[in-house]
Amino acid sequence: MTLPALHNTGVLYRRILSQFPQDISLAFAYGSGVFKQHGTSQGQMEKNMLDFVFAVDDPVTWHTMNLLQNRKHYSILKLLGPTMISSIQNEHGASVYYNTLVPVDGRIIKYGVISTESLIDDLTHWKTMYVAGRLHKPVKMLVQGENGKLRAALVANLKSAVTASFLMLPESFTEEDLFLQIAGLSYAGDFRMVIGEDKSKVANIVQDNIQHFRILYSNILRDCPQVVYKPQQGKLEVDKSPEGQFTQLMALPRTLQQRITKLVDPPGKNRDVEEILLQVAQDPDCGAVVQQGLWKTVSYSSKKMMKMWKGWRRKPSVSQMS
């Protein structure tokens, strides 16, 4: 299954992409500069920064080429060379290196670079959910190569978002309820939703983009044996029995399962994951436990990225980790 592209790639995006090294396994644009959000006019949208993520097979080679083409995009870190930049990318924050406030073709852009391997790991296991969370929401897919593992991981990430959301929703709910829950997964525990950002951000993302969410998730919902999906009515019913919830818990990404088990299992008891998840499945507060596990995952990566951002913000540069 190929992750659907929501629109034909416009000239603006092709022009921007043409200014970067072309050895990219996946590229997408996201955020309020790409998709209209509720309460934002077209004029405001066109002034917003355009956000990109580029996945590359060989970060050292890619940064080497990009330093030759776009040296001004980088902070003072460019003096350390591509190997050190790639090391910082892979070993700190959420395995993403960002250049931001970059003027390109009359727009201001921010772009993050992540290795294909790290992206597959995040999509599959939700180690940080930093890029995986962005891909829970509609994005403008610009480049998608033939890497079978990456394609499978993209679909697995969407299925995981649906499964986690099912566990936190009641037995019956609407499409909009589901999409709000999915869009909110990557904000659980995000410090930005406590300090400074619009608290209605998730609703604003979903409200004007219901059709885009349907494009992403309708096939998964139709094929899922855990739910009765009524697209004409926009309603769903999910299996909330202990057996159903256990099946859903066992399908969650590995990192989230581990965080849930740490929340539930007393220190020193060391029960296996399956035994603990069976206990959680029978708990009336199962959804709240999953929510706490997500909070731990997102808050951890959010704090790491904030720490990196503060460190580079003090430098006389337009580039930082973000």
Side-chain angles (χ1 to χ4, degrees):
M1 176 182 173
T2 302
L3 197 71
L6 298 177
H7 300 289
N8 292 328
T9 305
V11 172
L12 172 64
Y13 297 101
R14 292 201 298 272
R15 285 177 62 88
I16 290 172
L17 272 181
S18 72
Q19 300 188 41
F20 292 94
Q22 295 304 293
D23 188 16
I24 294 174
S25 61
L26 186 84
F28 64 89
Y30 66 95
S32 59
V34 180
F35 291 96
K36 187 177 182 302
Q37 296 185 5
H38 186 68
T40 303
S41 69
Q42 188 66 31
Q44 289 172 310
M45 181 180 160
E46 290 173 1
K47 293 177 183 176
N48 288 342
M49 182 163 20
L50 291 173
D51 298 321
F52 297 86
V53 168
F54 303 149
V56 302
D57 291 342
D58 183 347
V60 175
T61 298
W62 196 90
H63 284 297
T64 300
M65 295 167 66
N66 200 42
L67 281 163
L68 290 172
Q69 290 180 225
N70 299 302
R71 192 171 180 82
K72 290 182 179 179
H73 293 183
Y74 288 80
S75 71
I76 196 170
L77 286 178
K78 61 178 169 278
L79 301 178
L80 301 178
T83 301
M84 185 59 70
I85 290 171
S86 299
S87 177
I88 291 167
Q89 171 185 313
N90 291 328
E91 296 173 17
H92 299 277
S95 299
V96 189
Y97 182 89
Y98 269 98
N99 286 327
T100 191
L101 299 176
V102 176
V104 179
D105 258 44
R107 296 292 295 266
I108 300 298
I109 75 165
K110 174 178 76 177
Y111 63 94
V113 183
I114 184 170
S115 74
T116 306
E117 183 181 3
S118 294
L119 176 57
I120 290 171
D121 186 59
D122 196 38
L123 292 169
T124 306
H125 302 303
W126 286 9
K127 185 177 178 181
T128 68
M129 221 168 82
Y130 192 81
V131 179
R134 278 149 182 74
L135 285 161
H136 292 160
K137 298 175 276 289
V139 301
K140 191 172 186 65
M141 197 61 65
L142 307 173
V143 174
Q144 189 172 353
E146 297 301 319
N147 185 320
K149 283 182 67 177
L150 178 53
R151 286 173 177 266
L154 287 163
V155 176
N157 182 50
L158 297 179
K159 289 181 177 178
S160 295
V162 168
T163 301
S165 297
F166 282 170
L167 285 159
M168 292 183 286
L169 286 164
E171 186 173 3
S172 300
F173 48 90
T174 67
E175 270 185 328
E176 186 170 358
D177 293 333
L178 174 62
F179 299 150
L180 285 166
Q181 188 71 60
I182 288 171
L185 293 176
S186 60
Y187 294 112
D190 189 334
F191 73 94
R192 295 174 303 170
M193 300 305 286
V194 179
I195 303 169
E197 287 224 7
D198 184 358
K199 305 303 184 296
S200 60
K201 184 179 182 76
V202 173
N204 290 344
I205 290 170
V206 173
Q207 198 163 341
D208 284 358
N209 292 291
I210 292 283
Q211 187 56 35
H212 293 326
F213 276 91
R214 284 195 187 111
I215 291 169
L216 272 182
Y217 289 103
S218 60
N219 287 341
I220 290 170
L221 293 172
R222 286 192 184 97
D223 294 342
C224 179
Q226 296 287 315
V227 70
V228 177
Y229 178 39
K230 305 171 183 175
Q232 256 80 24
Q233 301 168 40
K235 293 182 179 179
L236 304 95
E237 296 172 11
V238 70
D239 183 359
K240 301 300 284 187
S241 69
E243 295 80 9
Q245 294 195 140
F246 178 64
T247 299
Q248 292 156 24
L249 288 163
M250 289 296 291
L252 291 175
R254 183 178 65 199
T255 301
L256 181 52
Q257 288 181 340
Q258 291 170 343
R259 295 199 184 278
I260 290 170
T261 58
K262 283 182 182 178
L263 287 167
V264 175
D265 203 32
K269 200 164 183 182
N270 296 323
R271 295 180 295 164
D272 66 44
V273 171
E274 189 170 338
E275 182 184 351
I276 296 164
L277 295 182
L278 184 58
Q279 175 189 327
V280 174
Q282 299 173 70
D283 189 332
D285 294 323
C286 173
V289 176
V290 174
Q291 180 74 35
Q292 282 182 278
L294 282 165
W295 190 92
K296 291 275 187 184
T297 299
V298 176
S299 62
Y300 176 72
S301 65
S302 176
K303 286 172 185 173
K304 282 180 74 176
M305 293 303 283
M306 180 59 170
K307 185 178 178 181
M308 294 298 296
W309 184 81
K310 280 183 175 178
W312 298 118
R313 186 177 59 175
R314 291 191 291 270
K315 298 186 181 296
S317 167
V318 297
S319 300
Q320 74 250 354
M321 306 296 288
S322 170

